[in-house]
Amino acid sequence: MTAAIRVEDVKKNFKVYHDKGYSLKEKLLFWHRNDYETRWVLQGVSFSVAKGEAIGLIGKNGCGKSTMLKLLSRIMYPDFGKIKIDGRVASLIELGAGFHPDMSGMENIYINASIFGLTRKEIKSKIDEIVSFSELEDYIDNPVRTYSSGMYMRLAFAVAINVRADILLVDEILAVGDLKFQEKCYKKLRDIKQNGTTIVIVSHDLGQVESICDRSIWIKDGLVYKEGRPKEVHPLYVNEMLE
């Protein structure tokens, strides 16, 4: 099958400062504060995702799965290796990213959708569907700084799933909000998957991953430790977490 995503030997590191000084005075007087260590979060990750396939990235906190998602969305870039993406990408990674707090929900829909590549005419044709899905009709003209985290998630998700992206990247933000709306979101994810959208999900909710994903990729110590059908990989992962 044709690949929508190819990740080839990707490595990513971050500088972790012990006690960084910020002012010039601090840097001169306390130069040792600028000591840092290089922490390799990803140490050679490779995998591919077929068009129309849904995969879940799992692993304990700090294993690199969210970093991998940010690399796929081009929020950051790998230090080594290659990532090849075929198609328009929509991402739900950081709650409210791309929202202007002083603008209304309606204005932010236009801004966010335009970031995803839609024209004003295309956004206008989808606006009713976006607002209806978000269930924010009574608040859509209010500044988004007045929104709760759950309301942020509703609006961000409603925009992302209506831009007709080829690839959808979703981080843990679906854990925000009430259970009824979460289920509505997961049902929508299953629907758009059936229509051919490629989906990559980072989640600690293994049950939800199993309900959507064809394959799970377990990242451990910066590498792909195991991958396969969720119901085969998840018991091994749970057993290790309980040890």
Side-chain angles (χ1 to χ4, degrees):
M1 294 180 69
T2 306
I5 299 170
R6 287 190 185 278
V7 176
E8 301 175 358
D9 196 28
V10 164
K11 300 178 182 179
K12 182 66 181 175
N13 71 68
F14 297 98
K15 293 178 180 177
V16 181
Y17 287 87
H18 300 291
D19 185 13
K20 187 176 182 180
Y22 291 96
S23 70
L24 179 61
K25 182 179 178 180
E26 285 180 317
K27 289 180 178 180
L28 290 173
L29 293 177
F30 308 107
W31 55 269
H32 59 279
R33 284 186 176 181
N34 294 315
D35 291 345
Y36 65 86
E37 62 178 285
T38 299
R39 185 170 298 170
W40 289 92
V41 178
L42 298 174
Q43 302 191 55
V45 171
S46 298
F47 63 86
S48 63
V49 186
K51 289 187 176 181
E53 184 182 18
I55 69 160
L57 299 179
I58 65 170
K60 67 180 183 179
N61 290 335
C63 72
K65 56 188 185 297
S66 291
T67 297
M68 188 72 252
L69 213 61
K70 289 177 181 177
L71 293 172
L72 294 176
S73 67
R74 298 189 176 98
I75 291 174
M76 58 178 66
Y77 293 88
D79 295 305
F80 299 95
K82 295 180 181 179
I83 296 176
K84 299 176 182 177
I85 305 287
D86 184 8
R88 175 193 281 177
V89 177
S91 58
L92 282 161
I93 294 179
E94 293 186 6
L95 195 61
F99 284 179
H100 192 295
D102 293 322
M103 290 185 176
S104 69
M106 182 67 75
E107 291 168 325
N108 273 289
I109 289 174
Y110 277 90
I111 292 171
N112 240 2
S114 65
I115 290 171
F116 288 136
L118 269 67
T119 66
R120 190 171 185 85
K121 184 178 180 181
E122 288 175 320
I123 300 168
K124 193 172 182 179
S125 70
K126 298 174 185 294
I127 202 75
D128 290 342
E129 189 176 353
I130 292 171
V131 174
S132 175
F133 189 92
S134 72
E135 300 176 3
L136 293 173
E137 292 91 343
D138 295 337
Y139 308 95
I140 203 65
D141 294 319
N142 294 355
V144 297
R145 59 180 160 75
T146 66
Y147 286 11
S148 66
S149 58
M151 293 165 75
Y152 260 103
M153 187 273 282
R154 288 174 184 234
L155 192 61
F157 188 87
V159 174
I161 53 95
N162 279 291
V163 297
R164 301 257 195 297
D166 303 300
I167 300 166
L168 181 63
L169 310 175
V170 185
D171 206 345
E172 292 282 4
I173 69 162
L174 289 183
V176 178
D178 61 80
L179 292 175
K180 184 179 178 182
F181 192 79
Q182 284 181 41
E183 182 51 41
K184 181 179 176 180
C185 291
Y186 280 106
K187 182 180 183 301
K188 187 67 176 180
L189 288 175
R190 289 189 287 268
D191 290 343
I192 64 174
K193 176 181 177 292
Q194 287 183 346
N195 291 329
T197 300
T198 304
I199 301 172
V200 180
I201 296 176
V202 166
S203 181
H204 288 290
D205 190 330
L206 301 182
Q208 296 288 10
V209 172
E210 289 174 12
S211 73
I212 296 168
C213 297
D214 306 297
R215 187 159 49 104
S216 284
I217 296 176
W218 175 3
I219 297 178
K220 178 182 176 182
D221 299 327
L223 295 166
V224 173
Y225 183 64
K226 289 191 186 301
E227 63 178 298
R229 292 175 57 208
K231 290 188 177 180
E232 296 172 353
V233 174
H234 292 180
L236 302 175
Y237 172 68
V238 171
N239 284 342
E240 180 162 310
M241 293 302 103
L242 293 176
E243 287 180 357

